[in-house]
Amino acid sequence: MAVPKRKMSRSNTRHRRSQWKAQVPTLVKRQENGRTVYSRPHHANVVEDSAGTPMFLEYKGRKVADV
């Protein structure tokens, strides 16, 4: 791991930290069983039965993994 050779000043530390900003994740809106569902693009979705029990993961309409 890199170790700084000299102490970073308080001013420089705070200036560097102030540049970091959290971003809102992009969400995709879709209809599933009459409900509006928001999910992240390019991520597998959990498919649930009518009781709400997770059954498997789905990506682009295909089953990719069991839960």
Side-chain angles (χ1 to χ4, degrees):
M1 186 171 137
V3 178
K5 191 156 191 167
R6 296 178 191 269
K7 181 178 179 178
M8 192 174 207
S9 71
R10 184 179 296 167
S11 173
N12 284 343
T13 301
R14 291 179 177 166
H15 183 70
R16 175 178 44 83
R17 286 182 183 159
S18 70
Q19 299 306 311
W20 184 87
K21 294 172 184 64
Q23 296 177 347
V24 177
T26 56
L27 297 176
V28 176
K29 179 179 170 182
R30 59 191 173 89
Q31 292 291 329
E32 183 178 295
N33 296 333
R35 299 183 316 173
T36 302
V37 179
Y38 295 93
S39 62
R40 297 184 65 194
H42 304 292
H43 284 262
N45 300 315
V46 178
V47 176
E48 300 174 340
D49 61 1
S50 60
T53 308
M55 298 188 320
F56 57 89
L57 293 173
E58 177 184 66
Y59 182 72
K60 291 188 178 179
R62 298 180 183 160
K63 181 179 174 182
V64 294
D66 290 325
V67 177

